[in-house]
Amino acid sequence: MSDFPAEGVSQREPAEPALLAKQLESPDLKDRMVALASLRDLPADVALPLIKKVLNDESLQLRSMAVFALGVKVTPESYSILIEILTNDPDYGIRADAAGALGYLEDIRAFEGLVRAFYEDTDWLVRFSAAVALGNLKDPRAFDVLIKALDAPEVVLQQAAIAALGEIKAVAAIDRLLLFIESEDWLVRQRLAESLGQLPTPKSISALKYLTKDHHPHVAAAATICLQRMEG
């Protein structure tokens, strides 16, 4: 997904849309990928029709780039296209990309679709992306979904839920979050520190002080930074 850079990165002159449209029809995948990456220089309304040309490309990598591009090039049509992909695409990786792109859009209309994907999709990667995106939306209605995700057997889902609960400022989740303070997975503990850093309460401060002494340097550093930010 990161093959499609964010807007404003390049200072080059934008390529002509007509030239890019032709390049996106090239039989050479490399040509199509270069053309799609070049859309970063175009306004969203100009880029969208070109992105749509490769949404059903035979290359999953190119499709993934195109789906991500829909989350960066925000148009009135981006949301509906992404929801359709999230709901109906047969490839779980593309559905996960769509969930992630909906998070980038930060369109609150995506809430119901992301919740449905979390509960109904059978692939953990889609559920993971949906949980992350719910955090990006910063909608407190995601509380119950994210609390449920804490009980998921997949550690990455737990990580996503911990981070997202911080994003939605779910102070009511602190007691549940603190159950992960002794997790064997250092990434879980790091996400916990980062999440607690967004939930300023005496319990959070106490837990962050504990985590500053964590044996893993990344956890200790995250806790220290969050504690300094909270106390400062």
Side-chain angles (χ1 to χ4, degrees), residues 90-127:
D91 187 89
Y92 71 88
I94 299 298
R95 295 197 306 277
D97 290 332
L102 285 165
Y104 278 110
L105 278 185
E106 296 184 355
D107 187 326
I108 204 66
R109 293 177 298 168
F111 176 79
E112 287 81 6
L114 290 169
V115 169
R116 193 179 310 114
F118 177 83
Y119 281 123
E120 297 179 3
D121 204 285
T122 56
D123 193 273
W124 70 264
L125 183 60
V126 181
R127 300 178 72 222

Side-chain angles (χ1 to χ4, degrees), residues 165-229:
L165 284 164
E167 292 282 351
I168 68 169
K169 312 298 183 192
V171 173
I174 286 178
D175 287 342
R176 282 288 282 111
L177 290 172
L178 291 181
L179 297 177
F180 292 90
I181 201 165
E182 301 289 355
S183 171
E184 295 181 359
D185 189 300
W186 69 267
L187 272 172
V188 168
R189 302 195 307 277
Q190 182 179 348
R191 295 292 175 267
L192 175 61
E194 294 163 350
S195 185
L196 292 173
Q198 301 182 74
L199 306 172
T201 71
K203 282 185 178 181
S204 301
I205 293 172
S206 177
L208 284 169
K209 287 179 178 177
Y210 178 82
L211 288 169
T212 60
K213 301 177 178 65
D214 195 276
H215 65 272
H216 196 287
H218 291 346
V219 179
T224 300
I225 292 168
C226 290
L227 189 61
Q228 289 172 346
R229 187 184 303 129

Side-chain angles (χ1 to χ4, degrees), residues 30-162:
K30 191 176 297 183
D31 288 342
R32 301 198 302 277
M33 292 181 70
V34 169
L36 184 60
S38 297
L39 300 186
R40 64 190 175 192
D41 301 315
L42 297 178
D45 60 335
V46 177
L48 180 65
L50 301 176
I51 295 169
K52 289 166 70 175
K53 289 175 71 72
V54 290
L55 280 175
N56 294 307
D57 196 89
E58 61 185 22
S59 165
L60 284 177
Q61 184 179 2
L62 191 66
R63 291 187 66 208
S64 176
M65 288 173 61
V67 170
F68 176 73
L70 288 173
V72 177
K73 296 292 185 180
V74 182
T75 73
E77 199 176 348
S78 301
Y79 165 77
S80 58
I81 295 173
L82 287 171
I83 284 292
E84 171 67 22
I85 294 170
L86 175 63
T87 305
N88 296 316
D89 200 276
D91 187 89
Y92 71 88
I94 299 298
R95 295 197 306 277
D97 290 332
L102 285 165
Y104 278 110
L105 278 185
E106 296 184 355
D107 187 326
I108 204 66
R109 293 177 298 168
F111 176 79
E112 287 81 6
L114 290 169
V115 169
R116 193 179 310 114
F118 177 83
Y119 281 123
E120 297 179 3
D121 204 285
T122 56
D123 193 273
W124 70 264
L125 183 60
V126 181
R127 300 178 72 222
F128 167 81
S129 292
V132 172
L134 285 168
N136 291 340
L137 292 185
K138 297 179 173 58
D139 189 326
R141 292 180 296 165
F143 181 88
D144 290 342
V145 180
L146 298 174
I147 288 293
K148 181 177 177 61
L150 292 177
D151 295 324
E154 300 89 356
V155 174
V156 291
L157 261 175
Q158 296 172 6
Q159 293 171 8
I162 290 168

Side-chain angles (χ1 to χ4, degrees), residues 11-38:
Q11 300 299 318
R12 300 171 305 166
E13 281 296 312
E16 286 291 331
L19 177 61
L20 292 176
K22 185 174 182 180
Q23 196 172 351
L24 287 168
E25 296 172 356
S26 168
D28 189 326
L29 174 59
K30 191 176 297 183
D31 288 342
R32 301 198 302 277
M33 292 181 70
V34 169
L36 184 60
S38 297

